[in-house]
């Protein structure tokens, strides 16, 4: 089976559309989403509808849980809080209804899925070797997928040796015995210095993972953010990939 894995879309419709178009040419069987469909960006209804219609499995991210009312909004700093408030005020009832059905962890086809980490599926950032090793030791399957940091990353054990680090576009990994812990990067707000939208192709037959990047119309996403009256920084950072 070939699976397209996406995460951290953050209401960025131009980025999601570009990723969906790129996925079409990848001949995938399923789409998995690791959460944070909303927050920061200006097109939450459209993004949630696209994911709801296409994804075989979808997790809730911390932003989704705040917008759904499961977590108090006071946890967020200025820009994230302003975007969450705007999202709550503007989303359609069916968007909220879908967000309410989602959970921050799950499983599909023997793969463990967490928005953030196995220890804390909602909040923990896995961006260093030590945290990654801790998570890998607690993983019961050979593969786990996480989002949340907005950075494409890979950690795991190859021939018993701990390996890992950033996974820029077109990185291809042969998944041996593992275990492995992978982050596809972010569709709608990449933070690794590459502003292109990120996703991952998982081939469970060939046992490979390939990180992909795709250009999208950043100006269109920025214009939507400006028109919605959201903080300007949420638009400008898209061009920096930070
Ligand atoms: Zn996120």
């Amino acid at each position: 089976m070939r699976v397209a894995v996406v995460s951290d879309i953050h209401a960025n419709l131009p980025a999601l559309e570009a990723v969906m178009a790129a996925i079409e040419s990848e001949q995938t069987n399923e789409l998995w989403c690791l959460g944070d469909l909303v927050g920061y960006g200006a097109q939450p209804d459209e993004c949630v509808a696209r994911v709801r219609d296409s994804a075989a499995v979808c997790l809730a991210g911390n932003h989704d849980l705040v917008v759904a009312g499961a977590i108090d909004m006071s946890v967020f700093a200025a820009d994230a809080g302003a975007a969450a408030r705007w999202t709550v005020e503007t989303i359609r009832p069916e968007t909220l209804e879908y967000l309410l059905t989602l959970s921050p962890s799950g499983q599909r086809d023997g793969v463990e899925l967490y928005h953030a980490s196995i220890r804390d599926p909602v909040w923990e950032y896995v961006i260093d070797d030590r945290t990654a090793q801790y998570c890998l030791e607690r993983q019961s399957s050979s593969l786990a997928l996480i989002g949340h940091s907005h950075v494409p990353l890979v950690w795991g054990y190859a021939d018993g040796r701990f390996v890992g680090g950033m996974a820029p576009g077109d990185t291809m990994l042969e998944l041996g015995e593992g275990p492995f812990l992978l982050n596809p990067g972010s569709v709608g707000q990449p933070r690794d210095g590459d502003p292109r939208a990120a996703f991952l192709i998982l081939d469970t037959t060939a046992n490979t993972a390939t990180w992909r990047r795709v250009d999208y119309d950043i100006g269109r996403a920025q214009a939507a953010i400006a028109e919605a009256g959201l903080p300007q920084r949420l638009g400008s950072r898209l061009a920096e990939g930070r």
Side-chain angles (χ1 to χ4, degrees):
M1 180 163 73
R2 279 173 69 80
V3 181
V5 185
V6 298
S7 191
D8 298 278
I9 296 159
H10 285 294
N12 185 338
L13 184 64
L16 180 60
E17 285 177 346
V19 165
M20 297 291 256
I23 287 170
E24 292 242 329
S25 61
E26 295 275 359
Q27 317 241 304
T28 53
N29 308 94
E30 288 195 351
L31 175 73
W32 301 354
C33 176
L34 306 176
D36 273 0
L37 285 72
V38 303
Y40 298 135
Q43 291 174 284
D45 289 320
E46 295 87 341
C47 289
V48 167
R50 293 292 293 265
V51 171
R52 186 187 53 211
D53 293 348
S54 320
V57 59
C58 181
L59 305 182
N62 50 316
H63 289 257
D64 304 319
L65 292 168
V66 166
V67 167
I71 296 173
D72 194 272
M73 210 168 281
S74 61
V75 294
F76 276 151
D79 285 357
R85 267 190 302 281
W86 176 87
T87 306
V88 168
E89 284 161 15
T90 57
I91 51 168
R92 293 197 286 260
E94 59 267 33
T95 301
L96 177 62
E97 218 169 275
Y98 181 68
L99 295 180
L100 285 166
T101 66
L102 306 179
S103 151
S105 60
Q107 260 206 38
R108 182 87 180 166
D109 206 36
V111 179
E112 293 173 47
L113 312 171
Y114 307 100
H115 175 65
S117 84
I118 188 169
R119 172 161 56 183
D120 178 349
V122 180
W123 290 109
E124 184 171 42
Y125 287 96
V126 186
I127 45 174
D128 62 281
D129 290 357
R130 226 179 114 188
T131 313
Q133 266 176 314
Y134 178 95
C135 292
L136 282 162
E137 279 162 21
R138 274 143 193 89
Q139 205 171 298
S140 51
S141 40
S142 60
L143 182 60
L145 303 173
I146 55 170
H148 192 51
S149 71
H150 298 205
V151 178
L153 291 160
V154 49
W155 286 284
Y157 289 91
D159 303 318
R161 210 162 47 85
F162 179 72
V163 292
M166 300 258 284
D170 296 324
T171 299
M172 212 267 257
L173 174 73
E174 303 244 3
L175 299 165
E177 214 172 287
F180 280 96
L181 175 59
L182 315 179
N183 187 324
S186 168
V187 171
Q189 197 195 80
R191 292 180 191 161
D192 62 339
D194 182 346
R196 295 177 298 167
F199 65 102
L200 177 77
I201 299 292
L202 196 64
D203 191 320
T204 59
T205 314
N207 216 18
T208 58
T210 311
W211 282 260
R212 297 277 189 221
R213 300 305 276 261
V214 60
D215 281 308
Y216 74 96
D217 190 344
I218 293 175
R220 216 182 108 208
Q222 291 172 324
I225 285 169
E227 200 181 317
L230 288 164
Q232 198 222 324
R233 171 80 192 127
L234 295 176
S236 61
R237 69 185 297 177
L238 296 178
E240 300 157 19
R242 294 279 174 207

